């Protein structure tokens, strides 16, 4: 008889579901090498890429249809009609500026609030090119206070990410009292927390859900690339590009087709929200000690992941 895992507390189960939906198959074994394409398949792909190029050029005729817009006080109706439904990213300035966490979440405050409770984070990332794909191999555990000391010292080696949310739900629960709600766009399901030092780097990928990033502490520099650019991004493994960093000259030498892609740069500051629609490529670098939440629990359907050909 097979052993069933013990039931998860409701919050952890909800987070696990949100995480599973974001990037289905995350941490799975490397897919089998692709078989050679038939000439019919190659032609069908070329035609699809042609269509995406033409549609992108047409959108570029209007700053409302292309580009990255910045908004303030964006109502739920306007968010739905202008951004969520059309699948367009938007930076919403200052939307959560009144959350108590904005004034409180320094490294010292966090360390004192959670103390030595054991938490899970992604570790041993330095020198490992596969830390996003092989997520399970990089799971580490430490008292929260020690993790904060690591994050405070900066670098990319240690990062508490959304992938650790299900494991950390109970330990980090006291922090929820510092958060508000975004009732115009989201249900009250908890967000997934990211905590890291200056220099954490999440390589270029897309998610299988629409995502809302909510920046609490510090700043992050985010590069967004529309789905129309996919053919230039060596998309071979799951939701990842072989071009991990489109700003890195050495990588652009290896992948010259990624040099002139259409891309937008965002500086996400405390109090800001960034909506990243499903399929939009993004890479993220922290410019300082940073805390951020990601949410997928929109008031509207977010089920694009269903039927993703994961390979
Ligand atoms: O903030 C980060 O480092 C990565 C966030 C991200 O890529 C995501 O939420 O999909």
């Amino acid at each position: 008889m097979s052993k069933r895992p013990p039931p998860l507390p409701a919050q952890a189960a909800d987070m696990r579901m949100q995480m599973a939906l974001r990037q289905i198959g995350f941490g799975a074994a490397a897919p089998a090498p692709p078989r050679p394409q038939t000439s019919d398949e190659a032609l069908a792909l070329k035609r699809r890429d042609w269509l995406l190029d033409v549609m992108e050029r047409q959108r570029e005729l209007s700053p409302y249809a292309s580009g990255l817009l910045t908004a303030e006080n964006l109502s739920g109706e306007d968010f739905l009609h202008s951004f969520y439904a059309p699948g367009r990213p938007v930076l919403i300035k200052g939307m959560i500026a009144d959350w108590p966490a904005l004034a409180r979440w320094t490294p010292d405050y966090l360390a004192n609030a959670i103390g030595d409770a054991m938490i899970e984070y992604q570790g041993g990332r330095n020198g490992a090119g596969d830390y996003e794909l092989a997520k399970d191999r990089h799971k580490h555990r430490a008292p929260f206070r020690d993790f904060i000391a690591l994050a405070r010292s900066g670098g990319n080696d240690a990062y508490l990410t959304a992938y650790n949310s299900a494991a950390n739900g109970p330990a980090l629960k006291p922090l929820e009292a510092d958060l508000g709600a975004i009732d115009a766009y989201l249900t009250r399901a908890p967000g997934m927390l990211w905590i890291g030092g200056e220099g954490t780097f999440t390589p270029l990928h897309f998610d299988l859900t629409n995502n809302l990033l909510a920046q609490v502490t510090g700043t992050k520099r985010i590069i967004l690339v529309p789905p129309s650019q996919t053919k230039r991004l060596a998309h071979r493994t799951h939701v990842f590009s072989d071009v991990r960093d489109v700003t890195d000259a050495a990588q652009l030498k290896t992948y010259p087709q990624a040099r002139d892609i259409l891309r937008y740069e965002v500086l996400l500051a405390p109090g800001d929200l960034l909506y990243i629609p499903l399929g939009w490529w993004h890479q993220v670098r922290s410019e300082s000690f940073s805390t951020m939440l990601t949410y997928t629990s929109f008031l509207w359907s977010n089920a694009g992941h269903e039927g993703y050909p994961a390979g």
Side-chain angles (χ1 to χ4, degrees):
M1 205 171 80
S2 66
K3 259 196 190 164
R4 286 203 188 166
L8 290 166
Q11 185 185 8
D14 182 69
M15 282 183 169
R16 188 154 291 178
M17 190 187 71
Q18 288 191 55
M19 192 57 229
L21 295 183
R22 278 162 51 93
Q23 296 189 349
I24 287 165
F26 233 25
R35 62 167 173 75
Q37 262 177 1
T38 66
S39 56
D40 279 357
E41 286 167 339
L43 184 59
L45 262 185
K46 273 190 188 153
R47 287 178 172 154
R48 191 183 310 166
D49 287 338
W50 163 84
L51 181 61
L52 291 176
D53 272 345
V54 171
M55 289 168 72
E56 191 66 65
R57 282 204 299 276
Q58 185 156 320
R59 276 193 293 273
E60 282 172 33
L61 296 174
S62 155
Y64 296 104
S66 68
L68 182 83
L69 295 185
T70 300
E72 273 174 49
N73 300 318
L74 190 64
S75 71
E77 283 280 287
D78 288 343
F79 175 66
L80 171 65
H81 295 302
S82 299
F83 300 103
Y84 191 80
R88 297 208 44 214
V90 61
L91 174 66
I92 310 163
K93 295 294 294 174
M95 182 93 171
I96 57 162
D98 62 349
W99 286 11
L102 269 284
R104 293 182 186 159
W105 283 13
T106 61
D108 282 338
Y109 173 90
L110 294 168
N112 289 331
I114 304 302
D116 292 320
M118 290 299 287
I119 53 95
E120 180 187 287
Y121 67 98
Q122 297 303 111
R125 294 162 38 115
N126 281 349
D130 65 346
Y131 58 80
E132 278 296 315
L133 191 60
K135 274 183 149 41
D136 284 331
R137 219 186 300 142
H138 289 274
K139 277 184 184 172
H140 282 45
R141 288 184 69 74
F144 185 73
R145 199 187 298 280
D146 294 358
F147 165 74
I148 288 291
L150 281 177
R152 190 174 222 159
S153 65
N156 191 33
D157 201 50
Y159 197 9
L160 189 155
T161 75
Y163 196 60
N164 308 118
S165 287
N168 291 337
L172 300 182
K173 197 159 180 51
L175 298 178
E176 279 177 18
D178 295 336
L179 303 175
I182 309 173
D183 289 334
Y185 311 161
L186 301 172
T187 71
R188 292 279 175 105
M192 293 170 278
L193 186 59
W194 300 70
I195 304 179
E198 176 182 351
T200 58
F201 179 66
T202 300
L204 193 65
H205 69 283
F206 60 87
D207 294 321
L208 299 179
T209 54
N210 299 309
N211 272 352
L212 192 68
L213 277 54
Q215 186 70 15
V216 175
T217 318
T219 53
K220 281 184 167 172
R221 194 162 291 276
I222 301 178
I223 297 198
L224 287 167
V225 178
S228 64
Q229 308 300 295
T230 301
K231 72 170 181 192
R232 300 178 178 89
L233 292 176
H235 176 209
R236 294 187 306 141
T237 311
H238 194 36
V239 295
F240 302 101
S241 168
D242 287 357
V243 191
R244 293 163 54 80
D245 178 355
V246 292
T247 67
D248 181 73
Q251 289 179 49
L252 293 177
K253 231 177 176 174
T254 311
Y255 301 99
Q257 72 281 13
R259 246 179 233 153
D260 299 317
I261 52 168
L262 181 61
R263 66 185 215 207
Y264 306 103
E265 191 165 319
V266 180
L267 187 68
L268 194 64
D272 294 349
L273 300 180
L274 178 66
Y275 170 56
I276 305 184
L278 177 156
W280 275 71
W281 295 92
H282 50 288
Q283 61 178 69
V284 181
R285 196 180 302 276
S286 293
E287 297 205 325
S288 58
F289 177 84
S290 161
T291 70
M292 184 188 88
L293 292 116
T294 43
Y295 296 90
T296 59
S297 58
F298 290 96
L299 299 178
W300 314 281
S301 169
N302 195 5
H305 60 280
E306 287 171 9
Y308 177 66

